């Protein structure tokens, strides 16, 4: 037996012996554990709304929102099956609430965002205040705030309302920091009139003696109308970035920081014919198409997108956006965590 063979045999025998003690040799794994650049975790993927919507409406015939607590179809990354994850740190689902339904009140340490995809007339309530949901609205549920949803029966029968839920579920699970409880009442009492938070914090003003609001924005609805106005104005004024088009991030008006401490949220406008340059960033990102059509080129694969589709860009995958029609894209990622920990990296290529 050669010296090398003998050595390898001795090593393998050693590895087997220590395996029984739940030990393994770092030197066999070092490069995987500390990669030269982010190794793919999760795949690029796109969900067509025209495919998703019938399944969600069918779910509406099988279970009520009240029985389900949240009637949601979870968008699971094809490379992360079984983990309720669209990226290693993020959760995404599409929620349906039909006219006459409520989704009962509860709270949890996971932070949530809603991005309204379809329908009018539903509300969400956060800590005693309701807000009516309109397509394109960005609504937040801060950690440990009571929240419930409802879609009151309108005179005309009302509409199914569908929104995208984005939560930090995998992050909170990873940290072992998850707590939840149900409210004693399915529909929490209303303690503040509608529009109260917006009047206090939504106009570049704040109450002189506002109570400290913690780490999350005191605004809980960022209406699409306002966001659209801002994007349109900047487009007209020619502020189009070669990678992003016109892109803004949602802001906590009290701190200038992120609206949600664990979830970075953005809205961007791509003019018709826009062909963006390629970027990479460490924060894997979920996109929800508000309007328009075009292509997302992610890791060399081309995904055609249309209004209401959802797609995901993995960490450090090269990506670029190309708009056939003028397009508006909402997106969210875990960028606040990367930034807080000094881990955020972005590379913008020149083509
Ligand atoms: C939740 O509370 C909502 O409030 C949606 O609408 C999705 C997924 C997991 C855990 C809690 C909601 C959720 C969730």
């Amino acid at each position: 037996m050669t010296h090398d063979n003998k050595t390898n045999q001795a090593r393998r025998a050693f590895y087997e012996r220590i395996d029984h003690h739940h030990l393994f040799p770092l030197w066999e794994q070092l490069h995987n554990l500390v990669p030269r650049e982010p190794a793919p975790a999760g795949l690029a993927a796109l969900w067509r709304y025209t495919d998703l919507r019938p399944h969600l409406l069918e779910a509406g015939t099988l279970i009520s929102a009240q029985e389900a607590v949240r009637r949601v179809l979870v968008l699971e990354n094809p490379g992360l099956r079984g983990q309720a994850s669209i990226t290693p740190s993020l959760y995404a689902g599409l929620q349906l609430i039909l006219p006459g339904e409520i989704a009962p009140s509860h709270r949890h340490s996971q932070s949530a965002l809603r991005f309204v995809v379809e329908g009018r007339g539903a509300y969400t309530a956060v800590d005693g205040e309701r807000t009516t949901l309109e397509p394109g609205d960005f609504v937040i549920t801060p950690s440990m705030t009571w929240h419930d949803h409802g879609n009151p029966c309108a005179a005309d029968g009302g509409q199914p309302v569908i929104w995208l839920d984005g939560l930090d579920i995998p992050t909170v699970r990873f940290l072992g920091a998850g707590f939840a409880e149900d409210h004693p009442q399915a529909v929490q009492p209303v303690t503040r009139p509608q529009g109260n938070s917006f009047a206090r914090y939504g106009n570049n003003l704040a109450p002189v003696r506002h109570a400290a609001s913690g780490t999350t924005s005191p605004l809980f609805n960022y209406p699409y109308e306002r966001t659209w106005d801002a994007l349109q104005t900047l487009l007209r004024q020619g502020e189009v970035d070669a990678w992003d088009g016109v892109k803004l991030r949602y802001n906590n008006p009290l701190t200038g920081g992120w609206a949600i401490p664990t979830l970075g949220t953005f809205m961007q406008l791509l003019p018709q014919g826009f062909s963006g340059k390629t970027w990479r960033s460490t924060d894997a990102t979920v996109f929800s198409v508000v309007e328009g059509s075009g292509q997302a080129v992610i890791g060399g694969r081309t995904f055609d997108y249309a209004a209401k589709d959802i797609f995901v860009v993995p960490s450090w995958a090269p990506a670029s956006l190309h708009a056939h029609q003028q397009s508006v894209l909402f997106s969210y990622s875990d960028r606040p965590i990367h930034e807080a920990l000094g881990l955020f990296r972005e590379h913008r290529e020149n083509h």
Side-chain angles (χ1 to χ4, degrees):
M1 196 185 275
T2 65
H3 173 74
D4 276 3
N5 274 345
K6 228 166 137 179
T7 308
N8 281 338
Q9 211 171 45
R11 284 180 186 170
R12 270 198 302 278
F14 171 67
Y15 300 163
E16 264 173 47
R17 267 186 291 122
I18 65 172
D19 182 68
H20 297 294
H21 300 275
H22 311 127
L23 297 169
F24 81 89
L26 173 63
W27 58 87
E28 295 288 339
Q29 288 286 333
L30 189 56
H31 295 296
N32 294 334
L33 291 174
V34 187
R36 290 188 184 277
E37 55 181 60
L43 302 170
L46 180 141
W47 288 260
R48 279 182 214 294
Y49 193 66
T50 52
D51 295 336
L52 295 178
R53 189 177 186 275
H55 296 306
L56 195 54
L57 291 176
E58 186 179 350
T61 69
L62 296 172
I63 191 165
S64 70
Q66 180 124 28
E67 190 191 348
V69 181
R70 297 295 184 262
R71 190 204 288 114
V72 176
L73 295 182
V74 179
L75 279 62
E76 200 165 53
N77 190 298
L80 303 169
R81 293 310 307 269
Q83 300 175 45
S85 301
I86 192 161
T87 77
S89 67
L90 301 173
Y91 160 103
L94 275 183
Q95 180 161 177
L96 168 68
I97 186 152
L98 293 167
E101 290 193 315
I102 59 132
S105 193
H106 67 188
R107 64 178 182 173
H108 38 71
S109 39
Q110 292 81 1
S111 295
L113 67 84
R114 331 266 164 219
F115 188 72
V116 184
V117 174
E118 177 187 329
R120 291 198 153 78
Y123 68 84
T124 193
V126 175
D127 271 352
E129 183 179 336
R130 288 185 181 178
T131 186
T132 304
L133 304 173
E134 302 282 335
D137 287 359
F138 163 63
V139 173
I140 70 181
T141 307
S143 177
M144 288 318 280
T145 55
W146 295 112
H147 57 283
D148 50 85
H149 321 297
N151 188 351
C153 273
D156 66 354
Q159 306 169 359
V161 175
I162 297 173
W163 62 75
L164 173 68
D165 288 313
L167 286 90
D168 53 11
I169 288 173
T171 302
V172 174
R173 180 169 60 201
F174 170 74
L175 295 171
F179 295 89
E181 61 187 303
D182 293 325
H183 196 282
Q185 294 159 275
V187 179
Q188 67 175 301
V190 171
T191 58
R192 274 174 295 148
Q194 184 150 343
N196 186 263
S197 302
F198 203 88
R200 287 168 189 259
Y201 302 105
N203 300 293
N204 301 318
L205 297 163
V208 177
R209 276 171 283 275
H210 71 80
S213 74
T215 51
T216 303
S217 171
L219 278 176
F220 72 111
N221 191 346
Y222 294 71
Y224 185 50
E225 204 184 351
R226 300 284 187 114
T227 310
W228 170 249
D229 272 357
L231 293 171
Q232 272 296 115
T233 301
L234 294 171
L235 176 64
R236 250 195 335 267
Q237 297 176 351
E239 292 195 24
V240 181
D241 178 84
W243 290 265
D244 295 335
V246 182
K247 188 169 185 178
L248 298 171
R249 66 177 181 83
Y250 291 92
N251 202 31
N252 174 340
L254 292 181
T255 63
W258 299 98
I260 306 171
T262 49
L263 301 168
T265 48
F266 309 84
M267 191 79 105
Q268 72 199 103
L269 174 58
L270 311 176
Q272 182 170 18
F274 177 81
S275 188
K277 294 184 180 183
T278 301
W279 84 90
R280 300 170 172 225
S281 63
T282 51
D283 57 331
T285 303
V286 180
F287 287 82
S288 171
V289 181
V290 185
E291 56 180 77
S293 65
Q295 293 182 325
V297 181
I298 310 167
R301 289 173 67 196
T302 298
F303 297 86
D304 290 309
Y305 71 75
K308 304 182 183 353
D309 290 351
I310 293 161
F311 60 91
V312 58
V313 178
S315 169
W316 212 239
S320 61
L321 298 169
H322 310 271
H324 299 153
Q325 296 172 299
Q326 173 171 284
S327 301
V328 180
L329 307 178
F330 171 79
S331 58
Y332 69 99
S333 80
D334 58 1
R335 191 176 301 186
I337 301 175
H338 292 234
E339 289 189 347
L341 303 180
L343 294 169
F344 181 66
R345 272 206 213 191
E346 185 178 36
H347 179 66
R348 305 178 110 204
E349 291 170 13
N350 249 317
H351 57 84

